[in-house]
Amino acid sequence: MSAILEVRDLSRQFGGFRAVGDVGFSVEKGSIHAVIGPNGAGKTTLFRLLTGVLKPTTGTVRFKGQVISGRKPNVIARAGLVQTFQITNIFPRLGTLESVEAAIMVRRRRTYDFASFLHSSAKVRAEAMDWLDRVGLADSADAVAGTLSHGDQRALEVALALSTKPELLLLDEPTAGMSPWETERTVSLVQELARTERLTVLFSEHDTDVVFGISDRITVMHRGQVIAEGTPGEVRNNAEVSAVYLGEEA
Ligand SMILES: Nc1ncnc2c1ncn2[C@@H]1O[C@H](COP(=O)(O)OP(=O)(O)O)[C@@H](O)[C@H]1O
Ligand SMILES: [Mg+2]
């Protein structure tokens, strides 16, 4: 096993407030790795630091051995570290299939003469259809993206991200707002993709039940810091982690 992502001493201040403080962890290639923690723990800020949307105040992020912290989001995405895009912000009026085609076109970013454009557009369509099929949306190919159910929109976002051929896929609270069966479907999709696409998945979750079943490793954050890290069994039996979650419910 080797680390695809290595985070060292990563911090981010907002004014005098430290949203992420000296965070360090590694993600093994091919693993499903979860970052858990109550609301406000710093999970979203951490992900924004990893994708380059935010610049760290201190620390480094290495992806496939190269330092990526401080680089632009599009450079990081092209290197293969991709977070799901919010479909509702980007392509709400496009058809489901069309939006995946658009993402594939952006990835290829080539110009074609008309004959090869027609040839390639058939290929792009077939590839887009394949991604929709993978995430269980083949029957919604013609639907307008913005009219899909909440769970289907999230699945489409996964298809869009996958169509850019990532090596490390980041999902920030993928099951937020989902019904139990949508959650179940998302969880099995993530598991299947990690296996069939040889993808590494780093996802954040607020709901601990989702995490224990599918993660190889779990990093626990609280108030911007890592308070525990280990296998699901180790984290489940960690007294500090239990205290944080009990404290939240109280
Ligand atoms: N752009 C920002 N400016 C100021 N404070 C922020 C900003 N983004 C996040 N925070 C604060 O950082 C903390 C961590 O937030 P966040 O990373 O969204 O946590 P989580 O995703 O774990 O719920 C919260 O207290 C939040 O209010
Ligand atoms: Mg968040």
Side-chain angles (χ1 to χ4, degrees):
M1 291 282 262
S2 66
I4 189 168
L5 187 78
E6 296 164 271
V7 177
R8 295 285 170 267
D9 303 322
L10 197 66
S11 302
R12 171 68 201 211
Q13 299 267 145
F14 292 115
F17 179 74
R18 215 170 195 219
V20 168
D22 295 327
V23 163
F25 65 98
S26 296
V27 176
E28 293 297 319
K29 196 166 163 49
S31 68
I32 299 181
H33 192 121
V35 175
I36 65 169
N39 279 331
K43 305 180 295 295
T44 296
T45 305
L46 170 66
F47 278 33
R48 295 174 82 200
L49 292 169
L50 301 180
T51 55
V53 173
L54 280 177
K55 299 238 176 303
T57 309
T58 64
T60 52
V61 179
R62 274 194 178 74
F63 178 58
K64 297 188 287 184
Q66 306 286 319
V67 173
I68 56 159
S69 33
R71 312 208 71 170
K72 294 213 167 80
N74 62 331
V75 173
I76 293 173
R78 228 174 299 136
L81 193 165
V82 173
Q83 184 162 355
T84 49
F85 338 7
Q86 288 278 181
I87 180 70
T88 39
N89 293 344
I90 307 178
F91 306 125
R93 298 210 176 78
L94 275 189
T96 302
L97 181 63
E98 274 177 320
S99 61
V100 183
E101 288 176 334
I104 295 171
M105 296 290 214
V106 169
R107 182 190 83 211
R108 296 188 168 189
R109 231 188 289 114
R110 293 200 203 119
T111 49
Y112 299 94
D113 62 69
F114 191 62
S116 64
F117 173 77
L118 287 180
H119 176 67
S120 81
S121 70
K123 271 190 164 164
V124 166
R125 174 147 299 202
E127 188 187 331
M129 203 54 217
D130 190 44
W131 287 119
L132 286 185
D133 196 34
R134 301 298 279 279
V135 303
L137 287 180
D139 292 344
S140 306
D142 297 328
V144 172
T147 64
L148 295 175
S149 72
H150 180 75
D152 283 353
Q153 287 193 17
R154 298 286 95 79
L156 176 56
E157 286 161 12
V158 172
L160 286 172
L162 290 173
S163 70
T164 70
K165 303 265 176 93
E167 288 174 66
L168 173 61
L169 179 66
L170 264 57
L171 303 161
D172 191 10
E173 303 221 27
T175 69
M178 285 190 178
S179 65
W181 86 263
E182 285 176 336
T183 298
E184 181 81 15
R185 188 182 77 169
T186 303
V187 164
S188 21
L189 174 65
V190 167
Q191 267 180 314
E192 192 198 308
L193 289 171
R195 194 166 42 83
T196 60
E197 305 301 319
R198 310 182 69 176
L199 194 66
T200 309
V201 179
L202 177 66
F203 76 113
S204 80
E205 263 297 343
H206 167 73
D207 177 357
T208 50
D209 289 344
V210 168
V211 172
F212 290 120
I214 65 167
S215 310
D216 296 306
R217 239 181 141 72
I218 302 175
T219 299
V220 189
M221 287 182 76
H222 181 49
R223 296 188 178 146
Q225 294 188 305
V226 173
I227 59 161
E229 146 108 46
T231 62
E234 287 162 356
V235 166
R236 198 196 295 271
N237 294 320
N238 183 297
E240 198 178 347
V241 175
S242 309
V244 162
Y245 273 92
L246 286 175
E248 196 203 18
E249 278 162 26

